[in-house]
Coordinates of all heavy atoms in Angstrom, one line a residue:
Y24 N -9.0 5.9 -6.8 CA -7.9 6.8 -6.4 C -6.7 6.0 -5.8 O -5.5 6.3 -6.1 CB -8.3 7.8 -5.3 CG -9.3 8.9 -5.8 CD1 -9.8 9.8 -5.0 CD2 -9.5 9.0 -7.2 CE1 -10.6 10.8 -5.5 CE2 -10.4 9.9 -7.7 CZ -10.9 10.9 -6.8 OH -11.8 11.8 -7.3
W27 N -4.8 4.5 -8.8 CA -4.1 5.5 -9.5 C -2.9 6.0 -8.6 O -1.8 6.2 -9.2 CB -5.0 6.8 -9.7 CG -5.9 6.6 -10.9 CD1 -6.0 5.6 -11.7 CD2 -7.0 7.5 -11.2 NE1 -7.1 5.7 -12.6 CE2 -7.7 6.9 -12.3 CE3 -7.5 8.6 -10.6 CZ2 -8.8 7.5 -12.9 CZ3 -8.6 9.3 -11.2 CH2 -9.3 8.7 -12.3
D59 N -3.9 18.9 1.2 CA -3.5 19.5 -0.1 C -4.7 19.5 -1.1 O -4.8 20.4 -2.0 CB -2.3 18.9 -0.7 CG -1.1 19.0 0.3 OD1 -0.9 20.0 0.9 OD2 -0.5 17.9 0.5
F60 N -5.5 18.5 -1.0 CA -6.7 18.4 -1.9 C -7.7 17.5 -1.2 O -7.4 16.7 -0.3 CB -6.3 17.8 -3.3 CG -5.9 16.3 -3.2 CD1 -6.8 15.3 -3.6 CD2 -4.7 15.9 -2.8 CE1 -6.5 14.0 -3.6 CE2 -4.3 14.6 -2.8 CZ -5.2 13.6 -3.2
A61 N -9.0 17.7 -1.6 CA -10.1 17.0 -0.9 C -11.0 16.4 -2.0 O -11.1 17.0 -3.1 CB -10.9 17.9 0.0
G62 N -11.6 15.3 -1.7 CA -12.6 14.6 -2.6 C -14.0 14.8 -2.0 O -14.2 14.7 -0.8
S63 N -14.9 15.1 -2.9 CA -16.3 15.3 -2.5 C -17.2 14.8 -3.7 O -17.0 15.2 -4.8 CB -16.6 16.7 -2.2 OG -18.0 16.9 -2.0
D64 N -18.1 13.9 -3.3 CA -19.1 13.5 -4.3 C -20.2 14.5 -4.5 O -20.9 14.5 -5.5 CB -19.7 12.1 -3.9 CG -18.7 11.1 -3.7 OD1 -17.6 11.1 -4.3 OD2 -18.9 10.2 -2.8
A65 N -20.4 15.4 -3.5 CA -21.4 16.4 -3.6 C -20.6 17.7 -4.1 O -19.8 18.2 -3.4 CB -22.0 16.7 -2.2
P66 N -21.0 18.1 -5.3 CA -20.3 19.3 -5.8 C -20.6 20.5 -5.1 O -21.7 20.7 -4.6 CB -20.8 19.4 -7.3 CG -22.1 18.7 -7.3 CD -22.0 17.6 -6.2
L67 N -19.7 21.5 -5.0 CA -19.9 22.8 -4.3 C -20.3 23.8 -5.4 O -19.7 23.8 -6.5 CB -18.7 23.3 -3.6 CG -18.1 22.4 -2.5 CD1 -17.0 23.1 -1.7 CD2 -19.2 21.9 -1.5
L72 N -17.7 27.9 -3.6 CA -16.3 27.8 -3.9 C -15.6 29.2 -3.8 O -14.5 29.3 -3.2 CB -16.1 27.3 -5.4 CG -16.5 25.8 -5.6 CD1 -16.7 25.6 -7.1 CD2 -15.5 24.9 -5.0
L77 N -11.8 28.1 -3.2 CA -11.4 26.8 -3.7 C -11.7 26.6 -5.2 O -12.6 27.3 -5.7 CB -12.3 25.7 -3.0 CG -12.1 25.5 -1.5 CD1 -13.2 24.7 -0.9 CD2 -10.8 24.9 -1.2
Y78 N -10.9 25.8 -5.8 CA -11.1 25.4 -7.2 C -11.8 24.0 -7.1 O -11.7 23.3 -6.1 CB -9.9 25.3 -8.0 CG -9.1 26.5 -8.2 CD1 -7.7 26.6 -7.9 CD2 -9.7 27.7 -8.7 CE1 -7.0 27.8 -8.1 CE2 -9.0 28.9 -8.9 CZ -7.7 28.9 -8.5 OH -7.0 30.1 -8.7
Q79 N -12.5 23.6 -8.2 CA -13.1 22.3 -8.3 C -13.1 21.7 -9.7 O -13.3 22.4 -10.7 CB -14.6 22.5 -7.9 CG -15.5 21.3 -8.0 CD -16.9 21.6 -7.4 OE1 -17.2 21.2 -6.3 NE2 -17.7 22.1 -8.2
F80 N -12.8 20.4 -9.8 CA -12.9 19.7 -11.1 C -13.3 18.3 -10.8 O -13.0 17.7 -9.7 CB -11.6 19.8 -11.9 CG -10.4 19.2 -11.2 CD1 -10.1 17.8 -11.5 CD2 -9.6 19.9 -10.4 CE1 -9.1 17.2 -10.9 CE2 -8.5 19.3 -9.7 CZ -8.2 17.9 -10.0
P81 N -13.9 17.6 -11.8 CA -14.3 16.2 -11.6 C -13.2 15.3 -11.7 O -12.2 15.5 -12.5 CB -15.3 16.0 -12.8 CG -15.0 16.9 -13.8 CD -14.4 18.2 -13.1
G82 N -13.2 14.1 -11.0 CA -12.2 13.2 -11.1 C -12.5 11.9 -11.8 O -11.7 11.4 -12.6
V83 N -13.8 11.4 -11.7 CA -14.2 10.2 -12.3 C -15.7 10.1 -12.1 O -16.3 10.8 -11.3 CB -13.5 9.0 -11.7 CG1 -14.0 8.7 -10.3 CG2 -13.5 7.8 -12.6
L241 N -21.0 18.9 -17.7 CA -20.1 19.4 -16.7 C -19.4 20.6 -17.3 O -18.5 20.5 -18.1 CB -19.1 18.3 -16.2 CG -19.7 17.1 -15.4 CD1 -18.9 15.9 -15.6 CD2 -19.9 17.5 -14.0
D242 N -19.8 21.8 -16.9 CA -19.4 23.1 -17.5 C -18.3 23.8 -16.7 O -18.5 24.1 -15.5 CB -20.6 23.9 -17.6 CG -20.3 25.2 -18.4 OD1 -19.2 25.5 -18.7 OD2 -21.3 25.9 -18.8
P243 N -17.1 24.0 -17.3 CA -16.0 24.7 -16.5 C -16.4 26.1 -16.1 O -15.8 26.6 -15.1 CB -14.8 24.6 -17.5 CG -15.4 24.4 -18.9 CD -16.7 23.6 -18.6
K245 N -18.9 26.9 -14.7 CA -19.6 26.8 -13.4 C -18.7 26.0 -12.5 O -19.3 25.3 -11.5 CB -21.0 26.1 -13.6 CG -21.9 26.9 -14.5 CD -23.2 26.1 -14.7 CE -24.1 26.8 -15.7 NZ -25.4 26.0 -15.9
D246 N -17.4 25.9 -12.7 CA -16.5 25.1 -11.9 C -17.0 23.6 -11.9 O -16.9 22.9 -10.9 CB -16.4 25.6 -10.5 CG -15.8 27.0 -10.4 OD1 -14.6 27.2 -10.7 OD2 -16.6 27.9 -10.1
F247 N -17.6 23.2 -13.0 CA -18.1 21.8 -13.3 C -19.2 21.5 -12.3 O -19.5 20.3 -12.1 CB -16.9 20.8 -13.2 CG -15.8 21.1 -14.1 CD1 -14.6 21.8 -13.7 CD2 -15.9 20.8 -15.5 CE1 -13.6 22.1 -14.6 CE2 -14.8 21.0 -16.3 CZ -13.7 21.7 -15.9
Y248 N -19.9 22.4 -11.7 CA -21.0 22.1 -10.8 C -22.1 21.5 -11.5 O -22.8 22.1 -12.4 CB -21.4 23.4 -10.1 CG -22.6 23.2 -9.2 CD1 -22.4 22.6 -8.0 CD2 -23.8 23.7 -9.5 CE1 -23.5 22.4 -7.1 CE2 -24.9 23.5 -8.7 CZ -24.8 22.9 -7.4 OH -25.8 22.7 -6.6
A249 N -22.4 20.2 -11.1 CA -23.5 19.5 -11.7 C -23.8 18.2 -10.9 O -22.8 17.6 -10.5 CB -23.3 19.2 -13.2
A265 N -20.9 11.9 -10.5 CA -19.5 12.4 -10.7 C -18.9 12.7 -9.4 O -19.6 13.1 -8.5 CB -19.4 13.6 -11.6
T266 N -17.6 12.5 -9.2 CA -17.0 12.9 -7.9 C -16.0 13.9 -8.2 O -15.3 14.0 -9.3 CB -16.4 11.6 -7.2 OG1 -15.9 12.0 -5.9 CG2 -15.3 11.0 -8.0
F267 N -15.7 14.8 -7.3 CA -15.0 16.0 -7.5 C -13.7 16.2 -6.6 O -13.7 15.6 -5.5 CB -15.9 17.3 -7.3 CG -17.1 17.3 -8.3 CD1 -18.2 16.5 -7.9 CD2 -17.0 17.9 -9.5 CE1 -19.3 16.5 -8.8 CE2 -18.1 17.9 -10.3 CZ -19.2 17.2 -10.0
I268 N -12.8 17.1 -7.1 CA -11.6 17.4 -6.4 C -11.6 18.9 -6.0 O -12.0 19.7 -6.9 CB -10.3 17.1 -7.2 CG1 -10.2 15.6 -7.4 CG2 -9.1 17.5 -6.4 CD1 -10.2 14.7 -6.2
L269 N -11.3 19.2 -4.8 CA -11.3 20.6 -4.3 C -9.8 21.0 -4.0 O -9.1 20.2 -3.4 CB -12.1 20.7 -3.0 CG -13.6 20.3 -3.1 CD1 -14.2 20.3 -1.7 CD2 -14.3 21.3 -4.1
L270 N -9.4 22.2 -4.5 CA -8.1 22.7 -4.3 C -8.1 24.1 -3.7 O -8.9 24.9 -4.1 CB -7.3 22.7 -5.6 CG -7.1 21.4 -6.4 CD1 -6.5 21.7 -7.8 CD2 -6.2 20.5 -5.6
P271 N -7.2 24.4 -2.8 CA -7.1 25.8 -2.2 C -6.5 26.7 -3.3 O -5.5 26.4 -3.9 CB -6.2 25.6 -1.0 CG -5.4 24.4 -1.3 CD -6.2 23.5 -2.2
M277 N 1.4 23.8 -4.9 CA 0.9 22.5 -4.4 C -0.2 22.0 -5.4 O -0.2 20.8 -5.7 CB 0.4 22.5 -3.0 CG 0.1 21.2 -2.4 SD 1.5 20.1 -2.2 CE 2.3 20.8 -0.8
D278 N -1.0 22.9 -5.8 CA -2.1 22.6 -6.7 C -1.5 22.0 -8.0 O -2.1 21.0 -8.6 CB -3.0 23.8 -7.1 CG -3.7 24.3 -5.9 OD1 -3.9 23.6 -4.9 OD2 -4.3 25.4 -6.0
K279 N -0.4 22.5 -8.4 CA 0.2 22.0 -9.7 C 0.7 20.5 -9.5 O 0.6 19.7 -10.4 CB 1.5 22.8 -10.1 CG 1.1 24.2 -10.6 CD 2.3 25.0 -10.9 CE 1.9 26.4 -11.3 NZ 3.1 27.3 -11.6
K280 N 1.1 20.2 -8.3 CA 1.5 18.8 -8.0 C 0.2 17.9 -8.1 O 0.3 16.7 -8.5 CB 2.2 18.6 -6.7 CG 3.5 19.3 -6.6 CD 4.1 19.2 -5.2 CE 5.5 19.9 -5.1 NZ 6.1 19.8 -3.8
V281 N -0.9 18.4 -7.5 CA -2.1 17.6 -7.6 C -2.7 17.5 -9.0 O -3.0 16.3 -9.4 CB -3.2 18.3 -6.7 CG1 -4.5 17.5 -6.7 CG2 -2.8 18.4 -5.2
T282 N -2.7 18.6 -9.7 CA -3.2 18.4 -11.1 C -2.2 17.6 -12.0 O -2.7 16.9 -12.9 CB -3.3 19.8 -11.8 OG1 -2.1 20.5 -11.8 CG2 -4.4 20.6 -11.0
A283 N -0.9 17.5 -11.6 CA 0.0 16.7 -12.4 C -0.4 15.2 -12.2 O -0.4 14.4 -13.1 CB 1.4 16.9 -11.9
F284 N -0.8 14.9 -10.9 CA -1.3 13.5 -10.6 C -2.5 13.2 -11.4 O -2.7 12.1 -12.0 CB -1.5 13.4 -9.1 CG -2.3 12.2 -8.7 CD1 -1.9 10.9 -9.0 CD2 -3.5 12.3 -8.1 CE1 -2.6 9.8 -8.6 CE2 -4.3 11.3 -7.7 CZ -3.9 10.0 -8.0
Y285 N -3.5 14.1 -11.4 CA -4.7 13.8 -12.1 C -4.5 13.8 -13.6 O -5.2 13.0 -14.3 CB -5.9 14.8 -11.6 CG -6.5 14.3 -10.3 CD1 -6.0 14.8 -9.1 CD2 -7.4 13.2 -10.3 CE1 -6.5 14.3 -7.9 CE2 -7.9 12.8 -9.1 CZ -7.5 13.3 -7.9 OH -8.0 12.8 -6.8
D286 N -3.7 14.7 -14.1 CA -3.4 14.7 -15.5 C -2.8 13.3 -15.9 O -3.2 12.7 -17.0 CB -2.4 15.8 -15.8 CG -2.2 16.0 -17.4 OD1 -3.2 15.9 -18.1 OD2 -1.0 16.1 -17.8
S288 N -3.2 10.5 -14.4 CA -4.2 9.5 -14.2 C -5.2 9.5 -15.3 O -5.7 8.5 -15.8 CB -4.9 9.7 -12.8 OG -4.0 9.5 -11.8
F289 N -5.6 10.7 -15.8 CA -6.5 10.8 -16.9 C -5.9 10.1 -18.2 O -6.6 9.5 -18.9 CB -6.8 12.2 -17.2 CG -7.7 12.9 -16.2 CD1 -7.7 14.3 -16.1 CD2 -8.5 12.2 -15.3 CE1 -8.5 15.0 -15.1 CE2 -9.3 12.9 -14.4 CZ -9.2 14.2 -14.3
L304 N -13.3 9.7 -17.5 CA -13.8 10.9 -18.1 C -13.4 10.9 -19.6 O -12.2 10.5 -19.9 CB -13.3 12.1 -17.4 CG -13.6 12.2 -15.9 CD1 -13.0 13.5 -15.3 CD2 -15.1 12.1 -15.6
L308 N -13.9 16.1 -22.1 CA -14.0 16.6 -20.7 C -12.6 16.9 -20.1 O -12.4 17.9 -19.5 CB -14.9 15.7 -19.8 CG -15.1 16.2 -18.4 CD1 -15.7 17.6 -18.3 CD2 -16.0 15.2 -17.7
T309 N -11.7 15.9 -20.2 CA -10.4 16.1 -19.6 C -9.7 17.3 -20.3 O -9.0 18.0 -19.6 CB -9.5 14.8 -19.7 OG1 -9.4 14.4 -21.1 CG2 -10.1 13.7 -18.9
K311 N -11.3 20.0 -21.3 CA -11.9 21.1 -20.7 C -11.2 21.4 -19.2 O -11.0 22.5 -18.8 CB -13.4 20.9 -20.5 CG -14.2 21.1 -21.8 CD -15.6 20.9 -21.5 CE -16.5 20.9 -22.7 NZ -17.9 20.6 -22.4
I312 N -11.0 20.2 -18.6 CA -10.4 20.4 -17.2 C -9.0 21.0 -17.3 O -8.6 21.8 -16.6 CB -10.3 19.0 -16.5 CG1 -11.8 18.5 -16.3 CG2 -9.5 19.0 -15.3 CD1 -11.9 17.0 -15.8
R313 N -8.2 20.5 -18.3 CA -6.8 21.0 -18.5 C -6.9 22.6 -18.8 O -6.0 23.3 -18.3 CB -6.1 20.2 -19.6 CG -5.8 18.8 -19.2 CD -5.0 18.1 -20.2 NE -4.8 16.7 -19.8 CZ -5.5 15.7 -20.3 NH1 -6.4 15.9 -21.2 NH2 -5.3 14.4 -19.9
K314 N -7.8 22.9 -19.6 CA -8.0 24.4 -19.9 C -8.3 25.1 -18.7 O -7.8 26.3 -18.5 CB -9.1 24.5 -21.0 CG -9.2 25.9 -21.6 CD -10.2 26.0 -22.7 CE -10.3 27.5 -23.1 NZ -11.5 27.6 -24.1
Y315 N -9.2 24.6 -17.8 CA -9.6 25.2 -16.6 C -8.4 25.4 -15.7 O -8.1 26.5 -15.1 CB -10.6 24.3 -15.9 CG -11.1 24.7 -14.5 CD1 -12.2 25.6 -14.3 CD2 -10.5 24.1 -13.4 CE1 -12.6 25.9 -13.1 CE2 -11.0 24.4 -12.1 CZ -12.0 25.3 -12.0 OH -12.5 25.6 -10.7
W316 N -7.5 24.3 -15.6 CA -6.3 24.4 -14.8 C -5.4 25.6 -15.3 O -4.9 26.3 -14.6 CB -5.5 23.1 -14.8 CG -6.2 21.9 -14.2 CD1 -7.1 22.0 -13.2 CD2 -5.9 20.5 -14.4 NE1 -7.5 20.7 -12.9 CE2 -6.7 19.8 -13.6 CE3 -4.9 19.9 -15.3 CZ2 -6.7 18.4 -13.5 CZ3 -4.9 18.5 -15.2 CH2 -5.7 17.8 -14.4
K319 N -6.5 29.0 -14.4 CA -6.3 29.3 -13.0 C -4.8 29.3 -12.7 O -4.4 29.6 -11.5 CB -6.9 28.2 -12.1 CG -8.4 27.9 -12.4 CD -9.3 29.1 -12.3 CE -10.8 28.8 -12.6 NZ -11.6 30.0 -12.7
I321 N -2.7 26.6 -12.6 CA -2.4 25.5 -11.7 C -2.1 24.2 -12.4 O -2.3 23.1 -12.0 CB -3.5 25.2 -10.6 CG1 -4.9 25.0 -11.3 CG2 -3.6 26.4 -9.6 CD1 -5.9 24.5 -10.4

Side-chain angles (χ1 to χ4, degrees):
Y24 287 177
W27 285 349
D59 302 313
F60 67 102
S63 175
D64 305 328
L67 303 187
L72 290 167
L77 295 168
Y78 298 129
Q79 174 177 263
F80 63 90
V83 73
L241 295 157
D242 186 347
K245 299 177 183 174
D246 299 289
F247 303 97
Y248 175 72
T266 186
F267 298 85
I268 298 301
L269 303 171
L270 297 176
M277 189 62 78
D278 292 347
K279 289 178 182 177
K280 294 180 181 178
V281 178
T282 59
F284 163 61
Y285 278 95
D286 186 46
S288 299
F289 291 156
L304 302 182
L308 178 55
T309 55
K311 286 181 184 177
I312 294 170
R313 292 186 182 99
K314 187 178 177 186
Y315 175 86
W316 293 340
K319 309 301 183 190
I321 55 170

